[in-house]
Each structure stands twice: as C-alpha cells, then as structure tokens.
Amino acid sequence: MARKKIALIGAGQIGGTLAHLAGLKELGDVVLFDIADGVPQGKGLDIAESAPVDGFDAKYSGASDYSAIAGADVVIVTAGVPRKPGMSRDDLIGINLKVMEAVGNGIKTHAPNAFVICITNPLDAMVWALQKFSGLDPKKIVGMAGVLDSARFRHFLAEEFQVSVEDVTAFVLGGHGDDMVPLVRYSTVAGVPLPDLVKMGWTTQEKLDAMVERTRKGGGEIVNLLKTGSAFYAPAASAIAMAESYLKDKKRVLPCAAHLTGQYGVDGLFIGVPIVIGENGVERIVEVEFSADEKAMFEKSVNSVKGLVEACKGINGALA
Ligand SMILES: NC(=O)C1=CN([C@@H]2O[C@H](COP(=O)(O)OP(=O)(O)OC[C@H]3O[C@@H](n4cnc5c(N)ncnc54)[C@H](O)[C@@H]3O)[C@@H](O)[C@H]2O)C=CC1
Ligand SMILES: O=C([O-])CC(=O)C(=O)O
C-alpha cells in the first residue's frame, strides 16, 4: 500500500513541528513548501536524518514550487505571519489574506482533492477565504483552533484537579478570538461535568471562571512569553490529531472551524463547532444545545467572525 502524502504549506515554527510529528506518527511522506527557499528543504533533511534514531519511515522533501504538492492526501496550511506582543490576531488579516490567495490557487491547481486544514490567523476568516480562493468542497476544508483551545482548557483543569489530562474532556467552540466559548457544562473529569465538580468542592466557581478566562487569552499568554512569535507545539499537535482522524478514518469528534449551512443559526461562515472527521472529511456537524448564556456568548463570537469576513471582502473585491 502506497504511503499517504502530507503537504505542509508554510515551513516555519508550526510547519516544522507538523513535519516532525507526522513522521513520528508515521502518517505518510511529507512535502514541506515555503517561499523562503532552502528552509523547507533544510527542515525536511534535518527531520529525515532523525528518522534512523527514532525508527520511523517517511520520505521528506522541500519545495518552493506548488507542483510539489500534487496528489497530496492532506494539506496543512500555516503560511503567513504570526503576531507579536501588543498585536491581536485580527491585525494579521491584510497580509495573511494575500497569502491565502496564493495558497488557495496552489491547492486548486495541484491538490484539489486533498483534505485541507488551515491554521493561519485570524483563523475563522482565513479558512473562509481559503475555501473561496481554492474552490474546495466545504466538507474537505476545516480550520484548526478548537482542538488547541480545548487542550489548553484541559491542561489548566488537569493541573487544578491534579488528575491525568487523559481523564479531562473539554469543548471550546465559537471563533478563535478572545471571545471564544469554553463550554463548562460540556467539559468533564471522567464524565462528571465541571459545574458538578464545583458542587462537589473540587474547585470554586471563581477558580473555574479564571481558568475559562485564561483559556480565552491562552494564545496571547504564549505570545507575551515568546516575544518573537506565537505557540507552535500545541497547535501542531492539534492539527495532527485532525489529519490523523481523516487519514485513518477514525471519526473523532473534534471542535473545528467548519463550514456551517444553517447549523447553530449560522449560514456561510466557518465557526468552531464539534464535527466528526472521517475519510469523507467533515462527516457530521454535531449541534449541541445551548443555554441562554451560552447562546449569547456564541452569538457574540460569531459576530466577531462576521466582522472579519466582511473586512476580507472589503480588502479583496473578488471575495465580495
Ligand atoms: N489557528 C491557531 O490556533 C493558530 C494559528 N497560528 C497561526 O499560524 C500561522 C503560522 O505560525 P508560525 O508557524 O508560528 O509562523 P512562522 O512565521 O514560523 O511560519 C510561517 C511560514 O510561512 C511562510 N510563508 C509566508 N508567506 C508564504 C506564502 N505566500 N507561501 C508559503 N509560505 C509562506 C514563511 O516563510 C514562514 O516560514 C500564523 O498566522 C499564526 O498566527 C499560530 C498558532 C495557533
Ligand atoms: O495567539 C496567537 O497569535 C496564535 C494562536 O492563535 C494561538 O496560540 O492560539
């Protein structure tokens, strides 16, 4: 059986980490693409030289020509720029929208049947634009944010409760901005919802609220620590989980930015919701019930994404 082909558009901090993880997990052969000629080739060779030590088989190549991604089963897009301290993700919209146009055209020409995972920020607007530029079936393109935001929440919860991260589940939905929606009612330890854990005295409402707030600002916390860029280990791990679910038809239920056509009262936007990822891409959109408070938070987050999409249309008339 031929190996799967994974194309990584952008060979920066996340792209390099994705390439390493894809090899360690033997998901397939990896092509790194970047406009900075030499970087994708160098990272590819460096990781390939680690394979004998770690004992995995995967071919690595680097390129600055889109023809190299031809026939890719999965394309993961991190091309663009990250933010620095003092910036919001939304400040990246102008420069990264131009990048999405180039990447979308490359995918349209060379890998139109791939399952595409967009990571570039501001995420929900960039995945929307990438779908428009590439013309991909909306079921074959998703944005990575919810898995990362939920992982951050799970980490904070596991530390607070002193339990294994494996036994903590969390769902963070909505757009990937500071008004994202961590759903405490749908987050659990060993199946016990967080509000029940407050009642059981495991934590206090104040501490839970603080963890929710820290999750919302989780990206900025890392940006302020790193100073030169943004998080890359957890974002790469999150996208690899999504790619693995597609490549192995695992049908995992993961919070991702998916194209909505009326679900959650949203039409024509990409918003973070729980979806099933299998061999057909987005196989199901899971519509959970919201309380009035949750609905209000979700709508606020959707409105932020709407504003960004309108801004994209203003910048590039072809999207209007
Ligand atoms: N969705 C999410 O949850 C997260 C999103 N991000 C976003 O991911 C993006 C990438 O982050 P990093 O890898 O840390 O940045 P980075 O700066 O390390 O890498 C970006 C790479 O893109 C390349 N690039 C720029 N324009 C290109 C083009 N037109 N075609 C191909 N390659 C191009 C650059 O040469 C660079 O190597 C940023 O926009 C960042 O904000 C970062 C973390 C989490
Ligand atoms: O905060 C950023 O700029 C990068 C990002 O999206 C995250 O780490 O959540």
Side-chain angles (χ1 to χ4, degrees):
M1 194 171 60
R3 288 199 202 125
K4 299 291 186 188
K5 177 168 173 176
I6 298 153
L8 306 174
I9 314 285
Q13 297 285 55
I14 304 178
T17 313
L18 287 167
H20 195 198
L21 288 176
L24 289 170
K25 289 179 172 267
E26 288 196 328
L27 294 185
D29 293 336
V30 177
V31 176
L32 290 126
F33 173 99
D34 203 292
I35 48 167
D37 196 33
V39 172
Q41 292 88 346
K43 288 198 177 180
L45 181 58
D46 188 13
I47 295 169
E49 289 169 354
S50 78
V53 182
D54 279 320
F56 63 83
D57 288 296
K59 285 200 168 56
Y60 281 85
S61 56
S64 304
D65 185 318
Y66 273 104
S67 59
I69 73 166
D73 297 285
V74 167
V75 176
I76 309 182
V77 178
T78 60
V81 291
R83 64 171 159 157
K84 299 216 166 78
M87 295 171 76
S88 90
R89 295 179 182 94
D90 301 355
D91 295 336
L92 307 172
I93 194 167
I95 184 157
N96 285 350
L97 185 62
K98 285 202 192 79
V99 175
M100 290 306 101
E101 185 168 13
V103 175
N105 288 332
I107 293 173
K108 184 184 213 162
T109 309
H110 298 286
N113 298 316
F115 179 62
V116 174
I117 301 169
C118 179
I119 302 184
T120 303
N121 271 321
L123 188 271
D124 309 270
M126 291 303 103
V127 64
W128 174 87
L130 189 63
Q131 190 279 323
K132 294 278 181 221
F133 289 130
S134 63
L136 284 170
D137 174 352
K139 289 200 164 17
K140 297 291 287 290
I141 173 166
V142 291
M144 188 293 293
V147 177
L148 169 66
D149 299 326
S150 304
R152 286 183 174 141
F153 196 25
R154 289 172 66 193
H155 165 70
F156 301 145
L157 291 165
E159 283 222 311
E160 163 67 5
F161 297 138
Q162 290 295 301
V163 298
S164 166
V165 289
E166 284 187 66
D167 296 319
V168 182
T169 67
F171 263 128
V172 180
L173 307 185
H176 186 53
D178 291 354
D179 52 13
M180 66 180 73
V181 187
L183 287 175
V184 295
R185 258 177 354 115
Y186 290 113
S187 303
T188 71
V189 174
V192 182
L194 297 183
D196 291 356
L197 291 167
V198 174
K199 280 187 209 146
M200 288 157 61
W202 276 43
T203 188
T204 62
Q205 188 60 47
E206 291 69 33
K207 282 187 180 166
L208 184 53
D209 291 345
M211 286 186 279
V212 164
E213 207 41 37
R214 190 173 175 200
T215 300
R216 287 201 171 111
K217 309 256 171 69
E221 182 176 0
I222 305 261
V223 168
N224 288 332
L225 288 166
L226 295 181
K227 295 179 187 72
T228 53
S230 50
F232 52 100
Y233 293 113
S238 303
I240 287 290
M242 293 161 65
E244 187 174 25
S245 190
Y246 173 76
L247 290 167
K248 297 186 179 169
D249 191 27
K250 282 173 74 84
K251 303 196 192 295
R252 292 201 59 196
V253 184
L254 297 170
C256 305
H259 183 255
L260 299 183
T261 53
Q263 301 90 344
Y264 291 93
V266 178
D267 196 10
L269 291 177
F270 281 76
I271 300 285
V273 294
I275 62 170
V276 176
I277 300 182
E279 62 180 344
N280 301 308
V282 181
E283 297 192 346
R284 191 189 300 171
I285 289 172
V286 183
E287 265 189 280
V288 297
E289 211 175 285
F290 285 155
S291 67
D293 282 357
E294 291 160 353
K295 192 160 184 279
M297 284 192 286
F298 187 80
E299 280 173 1
K300 181 167 182 267
S301 184
V302 169
N303 281 333
S304 300
V305 175
K306 244 184 222 162
L308 286 172
V309 164
E310 287 310 313
C312 289
K313 291 178 184 170
I315 296 167
N316 185 324
L319 293 168

